[in-house]
Amino acid sequence: MWRSFLRAHARITRVLEAELIAEQRLSLAAYDVLVQLAESPSMRMRMTELADAVLLSRSGVTRLVDRLERAGLVGRERADGDGRGIVAVLTPLGAERLRSASATHLAGVAEHFGESFGPGELEAFGRTCDRLAADDVYP
């Protein structure tokens, strides 16, 4: 069962990424960064928090934010009250790009993930995933 889950995850994320790249020229990791920033207060996050949220290493998220910054989708600022901290900030262009990419991504999620479940199965799977993702399960 574990291997089936890993294969399913790998297949679905490959398909979703291919669709995002083909239709939006945006990687799944870049999309995830934009989503995390859009959902955070003031559309900004400390780089360390962003790395944790998108499950990338700090150096990986730094390189990704570098590319997004060059594209004008994300900016960087000093953290308030902390001269050493850096926050990533979603730009208006980044928010617009996220809106466009969301249509592609959410359609893909519905097709390649949601349609695979029968009545009641998706809710049960969601509850199981919520339990596995809870901080108190694996501190």
Side-chain angles (χ1 to χ4, degrees):
M1 187 175 319
W2 175 246
R3 286 186 180 144
S4 294
F5 172 76
L6 292 177
R7 282 193 301 275
H9 178 268
R11 185 188 68 78
I12 292 169
T13 54
R14 276 195 304 269
V15 170
L16 293 174
E17 174 142 72
E19 289 175 350
L20 272 173
I21 289 171
E23 295 179 29
Q24 302 292 332
R25 296 176 25 148
L26 194 68
S27 71
L28 190 54
Y31 177 82
D32 193 15
V33 165
L34 297 179
V35 166
Q36 295 299 326
L37 291 173
E39 292 178 348
S40 67
S42 304
M43 295 193 203
R44 62 185 65 237
M45 290 179 81
R46 285 181 169 272
M47 292 291 287
T48 54
E49 293 169 348
L50 185 57
D52 290 343
V54 298
L55 305 176
L56 289 175
S57 67
R58 288 181 183 177
S59 61
V61 84
T62 297
R63 288 189 299 274
L64 181 53
V65 168
D66 285 344
R67 290 191 298 275
L68 294 172
E69 188 174 31
R70 283 193 299 275
L73 306 179
V74 172
R76 288 188 193 171
E77 297 175 359
R78 291 268 178 217
D80 291 336
D82 180 0
R84 298 178 313 173
I86 301 291
V87 294
V89 181
L90 185 66
T91 66
L93 180 61
E96 180 182 317
R97 187 76 183 278
L98 175 60
R99 276 190 293 281
S100 174
S102 289
T104 298
H105 181 67
L106 295 177
V109 169
E111 178 183 351
H112 306 296
F113 180 75
E115 291 178 4
S116 299
F117 292 89
E121 290 179 329
L122 186 58
E123 291 80 14
F125 183 70
R127 287 190 303 272
T128 300
C129 288
D130 287 343
R131 276 195 320 270
L132 290 171
D135 289 336
D136 60 345
V137 175
Y138 304 105

